[in-house]
Amino acid sequence: MISGVATLDDVARRAGVSTATASRIINGSSKPVSAALRDRVEAAVADLHYVPNAHARQLARSERTAVGVVVHDVSDPYFAEITRGLQRVATTDGRLVIICNTYRDPARELDYVELLRAHQVAAMVLAGSGYHDAGFARALRGKLRAYELTGGRVAVIGRHDRTGDAVVPDNEAGGYLAGEHLYALGHRDVGVIAGPRNLTTTTDRLTGVRRAARSHHRPPPKVAYADFDRDSGARATADLLAAHPRLTAIAALNDSMAVGALAHLRGVDRRISVIGFDDMPIARDVTPALTTIRLPLADMGALAMSLALSPPSPHPRVERVPAELIARESTFPLDATLSVRP
Amino acid sequence: MISGVATLDDVARRAGVSTATASRIINGSSKPVSAALRDRVEAAVADLHYVPNAHARQLARSERTAVGVVVHDVSDPYFAEITRGLQRVATTDGRLVIICNTYRDPARELDYVELLRAHQVAAMVLAGSGYHDAGFARALRGKLRAYELTGGRVAVIGRHDRTGDAVVPDNEAGGYLAGEHLYALGHRDVGVIAGPRNLTTTTDRLTGVRRAARSHHRPPPKVAYADFDRDSGARATADLLAAHPRLTAIAALNDSMAVGALAHLRGVDRRISVIGFDDMPIARDVTPALTTIRLPLADMGALAMSLALSPPSPHPRVERVPAELIARESTFPLDATLSVRP
DNA sequence: CTTTCCCAGGAAAGCGCTTACCTGGGGAGG
DNA sequence: CCTCCCCAGGTAAGCGCTTTCCTGGGAAAG
């Protein structure tokens, strides 16, 4: 009863049994125990408000029970959605999940991987990683490899230069779908609001848009870089429009930035098509309702967690997730755009 | 080196020192150690990819380091915002935060409190609790009390029948503000889209709206109950309008439901004022931009975490957080409403 | 009334780490 | 050249729990 916290010893002493017996009763061991002792131990547990020390138990059992998740930021709707899926399957499996926010800081990401390993997690899933930085990539690969060598399981969401289980959304195809949609509507001058340059999500989606431009025999779209959030999207839209007044359509590489673009456009009274990416819940509630490329984020999270919790397979499993066009009201034919300008 | 995981023993053996020395070097203890040994130990750590077992360390040090957070659901924007604030101060304090989602299941909430206690967290903060259920409340109080008796700190966000540190938003005043705004605009028939009946958040806000009705000598507003999410809000709006065709204004008790209301209204072509609650990021991006009652959610989270991390005070500290009206475009005078109906 | 077997319950050895305490050998002082 | 002191480094005792192995006594069998 050091520092006021009741221990198994306290319980055993109070019930007049050995710690072995108390432990068996508390854990519902299969070993038979007389009803009298059971009652006494249970009474002691209740009286002392005893709760077993999870660390001591973990140490003694030396089995890994929790799982770790490292993402950019759970508060961000994109990751919130992924996390929802992750949690669902982790909880179903009776596991505690430890969530770590990196805020896109590579150093922090490395630290968290180590911290999770120190906490003996059974598995970890990484999302929103995948920076274009050779040094970081090597360090991360090293840490993950070390973790896997000791029996840890890891699954990654998104493209990664690492071989291992992964869930990878088809961002390139999604980007193509977005561009294709715009060019097919007759737009000739398309702008792109991109995310941070060093993320593969950005480059993959952008590559897709560019491919669409090529296949329609158009020059590469103009690109402005932003931060995947609403306000930076609004700013980038303003910049892009100022620099290229002839644009009639904008592909934002995620919905948050698309919403920002819409907000900016509302202010300047220009009728420009906007397409987003991800199909976040907000997409259908803005006006005009946002045309976007849907990714089944929650499912991706769930899938990644099941991969991470399943026994390792000799060949890394890579689940490709297709993107899908959701046409709503924020995109329209070039004709419609022009007819409005008198 | 059981099961492939390197232990301190392995490191010490490889470096040819005792575990005590290895431990001192790894932890940067103040005790002086020769440079030669230091190098050897550091090399061994690197070679073996050694990471100290957090559970063993925690057990040996028996100091509490992590903190726990129990909320309804981190993916929900309301709690995401609160969590963002919480994390900020916890991380600044160098603490691991364990997030638990209850999905409004009281049993799960109780379990999580126990689990966090088992994990020896230094503090926990509860948000989105506060059900009207005497049995649950008693059980929760008991568990929290037991935890505090052993030196644990707890802070609560929202009204609670428990005495202890808390940050409580002034939901009643906010509700009044919402109602007052609507009645002052000339509306005579106001409807309320409420959240789950058993939450104090719902009842407090509702009480406020009712008070506004009384002070304007109007009968109590008609109420439809929903679940604090968008779709239930849309459904409740439909029901309410069907039952009371003369309504000209709706107060939704959170923004998600207000957005649902707006979505429904868009379909039925009726010009009705809608006010929300919380001022979530989405509020300014829907059309019409949502008038709402702002609560500084991230700050509330931060405040709660600082309370929880500060030394206990003899008198429980209760921080009241004021609500503020943010007028945007979704509410307008009754005249405007009527003039549109030909 | 013995002997054998069985089983409820206890003793004790760890799990991996930290740390209070002890030890031995070298440098300084006599 | 001998003491004494000092300090780098080691020894070992836990931290709170689980679990293997052992024990003793009662029931069953002779």
Side-chain angles (χ1 to χ4, degrees):
Chain A
M1 181 80 88
I2 305 297
S3 78
V5 189
T7 70
L8 186 61
D9 248 356
D10 300 318
V11 171
R13 197 166 325 124
R14 179 176 247 260
V17 302
S18 70
T19 60
T21 305
S23 172
R24 287 186 192 112
I25 291 172
I26 288 168
N27 293 295
S29 143
S30 58
K31 197 151 197 216
V33 174
S34 79
L37 292 198
R38 162 158 286 119
D39 289 349
R40 268 158 44 201
V41 168
E42 279 165 358
V45 165
D47 291 352
L48 298 173
H49 298 290
Y50 171 74
V51 174
N53 181 317
H55 299 288
R57 175 177 279 181
Q58 156 79 37
L59 192 57
R61 294 216 250 244
S62 67
E63 66 180 10
R64 301 168 172 191
T65 145
V67 297
V69 173
V70 3
V71 296
H72 159 47
D73 178 6
V74 248
S75 323
D76 179 298
Y78 177 86
F79 293 99
E81 201 61 22
I82 289 179
T83 306
R84 181 199 301 277
L86 286 169
Q87 293 241 22
R88 183 162 46 74
V89 352
T91 306
T92 304
D93 206 51
R95 293 177 178 283
L96 176 65
V97 2
I98 303 177
I99 299 177
C100 305
N101 292 152
T102 65
Y103 301 111
R104 295 231 171 79
D105 175 349
R108 192 166 351 210
E109 179 155 349
L110 259 17
D111 285 350
Y112 273 133
V113 167
E114 197 135 312
L115 180 143
L116 289 174
R117 182 145 87 90
H119 278 262
Q120 314 295 109
V121 296
M124 49 208 235
V125 0
L126 313 194
S129 184
Y131 314 101
H132 294 298
D133 180 309
F136 165 77
R138 193 169 341 102
L140 183 61
R141 261 201 313 270
K143 287 205 190 299
L144 294 180
R145 187 91 195 89
Y147 173 57
E148 286 177 321
L149 280 177
T150 62
R153 302 276 297 114
V154 6
V156 158
I157 297 180
R159 197 159 72 79
H160 228 268
D161 56 357
R162 171 178 181 284
T163 61
D165 292 352
V167 173
V168 359
D170 203 341
N171 282 316
E172 200 276 346
Y176 179 81
L177 239 40
E180 167 63 27
H181 176 67
L182 261 15
Y183 288 113
L185 285 171
H187 294 282
R188 303 175 59 79
D189 297 293
V190 170
V192 173
I193 309 293
R197 289 167 192 272
N198 62 340
L199 294 182
T200 57
T201 305
T202 295
T203 50
D204 288 354
R205 292 179 181 182
L206 186 51
T207 302
V209 180
R210 288 195 172 122
R211 179 159 64 85
R214 272 200 310 282
S215 78
H216 279 263
H217 308 293
R218 299 298 309 157
K222 313 300 182 198
V223 180
Y225 289 89
D227 276 329
F228 271 156
D229 61 34
R230 183 204 125 117
D231 292 346
S232 71
R235 276 195 301 277
T237 305
D239 296 348
L240 204 56
L241 253 30
H244 308 282
R246 306 188 50 199
L247 294 183
T248 59
I250 285 180
L253 299 190
N254 81 356
D255 282 355
S256 297
M257 298 191 301
V259 168
L262 253 23
H264 173 76
L265 260 19
R266 216 173 289 135
V268 300
D269 192 34
R270 284 191 60 181
R271 196 160 151 74
I272 289 189
S273 287
V274 173
I275 185 169
F277 208 117
D278 292 337
D279 195 24
M280 315 259 46
I282 193 185
R284 54 181 183 162
D285 286 313
V286 290
T287 310
L290 191 63
T291 294
T292 190
I293 305 297
R294 173 180 298 166
L295 241 28
L297 298 174
D299 293 345
M300 286 165 49
L303 192 52
M305 185 55 87
S306 356
L307 283 182
L309 290 178
S310 64
S313 82
H315 305 294
R317 284 159 299 182
V318 175
E319 304 280 355
R320 305 210 153 266
V321 178
E324 174 192 7
L325 174 72
I326 306 293
R328 287 196 269 247
E329 302 153 11
S330 65
T331 50
F332 26 78
L334 180 63
D335 309 346
T337 310
L338 296 180
S339 66
V340 174
R341 293 208 221 141
Chain B
M1 180 82 87
I2 305 298
S3 79
V5 189
T7 70
L8 186 62
D9 249 355
D10 300 317
V11 171
R13 200 167 319 126
R14 180 176 244 260
V17 301
S18 71
T19 60
T21 305
S23 172
R24 286 184 195 117
I25 292 173
I26 289 167
N27 293 295
S29 142
S30 58
K31 200 153 196 213
V33 174
S34 79
L37 292 199
R38 162 158 288 121
D39 290 349
R40 267 156 50 201
V41 168
E42 279 166 358
V45 166
D47 291 352
L48 298 173
H49 298 289
Y50 171 74
V51 173
N53 181 317
H55 299 289
R57 175 176 279 182
Q58 156 79 38
L59 192 56
R61 293 215 250 243
S62 66
E63 65 180 10
R64 301 168 172 191
T65 147
V67 298
V69 172
V70 4
V71 296
H72 160 47
D73 178 6
V74 249
S75 324
D76 179 301
Y78 177 86
F79 294 98
E81 201 60 21
I82 289 178
T83 305
R84 180 198 301 278
L86 286 169
Q87 293 241 21
R88 183 161 47 74
V89 352
T91 305
T92 304
D93 206 52
R95 294 177 176 283
L96 177 65
V97 3
I98 303 177
I99 298 176
C100 305
N101 292 149
T102 64
Y103 301 112
R104 295 231 170 79
D105 176 348
R108 190 160 359 203
E109 180 155 348
L110 259 18
D111 285 350
Y112 273 133
V113 168
E114 196 134 316
L115 179 142
L116 288 175
R117 182 145 87 92
H119 278 262
Q120 314 295 111
V121 296
M124 48 208 239
V125 1
L126 314 193
S129 184
Y131 314 102
H132 293 299
D133 180 311
F136 164 78
R138 195 170 338 104
L140 183 62
R141 261 202 314 269
K143 287 205 190 296
L144 293 180
R145 188 91 195 89
Y147 173 59
E148 285 177 321
L149 280 177
T150 62
R153 300 278 295 113
V154 4
V156 158
I157 296 180
R159 198 162 70 81
H160 228 269
D161 55 357
R162 171 179 179 285
T163 61
D165 291 351
V167 358
V168 357
D170 201 341
N171 282 316
E172 200 275 347
Y176 179 80
L177 240 38
E180 167 63 26
H181 176 67
L182 262 16
Y183 288 113
L185 284 170
H187 294 282
R188 303 174 59 79
D189 296 292
V190 171
V192 173
I193 310 294
R197 289 168 193 271
N198 62 340
L199 295 182
T200 57
T201 305
T202 295
T203 49
D204 289 354
R205 293 179 180 182
L206 187 50
T207 302
V209 180
R210 286 193 174 124
R211 179 158 63 87
R214 271 201 310 282
S215 80
H216 279 263
H217 308 293
R218 299 299 308 159
K222 314 298 184 201
V223 180
Y225 288 88
D227 276 328
F228 270 155
D229 60 35
R230 185 202 124 116
D231 292 346
S232 71
R235 276 195 301 277
T237 304
D239 295 350
L240 203 57
L241 252 29
H244 308 283
R246 305 189 48 199
L247 293 184
T248 60
I250 286 181
L253 298 190
N254 79 357
D255 283 354
S256 298
M257 298 191 301
V259 168
L262 252 24
H264 173 75
L265 258 21
R266 216 173 288 135
V268 299
D269 192 33
R270 284 190 60 181
R271 196 160 152 75
I272 287 188
S273 286
V274 173
I275 186 171
F277 208 118
D278 291 338
D279 194 25
M280 315 258 47
I282 193 182
R284 54 180 183 164
D285 286 314
V286 292
T287 309
L290 190 63
T291 293
T292 189
I293 304 297
R294 173 181 297 166
L295 241 30
L297 298 175
D299 293 345
M300 287 164 49
L303 192 52
M305 185 56 86
S306 356
L307 283 182
L309 290 179
S310 64
S313 80
H315 305 294
R317 285 159 299 183
V318 175
E319 303 280 355
R320 304 210 155 264
V321 178
E324 173 191 7
L325 173 72
I326 305 292
R328 285 195 271 247
E329 303 154 9
S330 65
T331 49
F332 26 77
L334 179 62
D335 309 345
T337 311
L338 296 178
S339 67
V340 173
R341 296 211 215 138

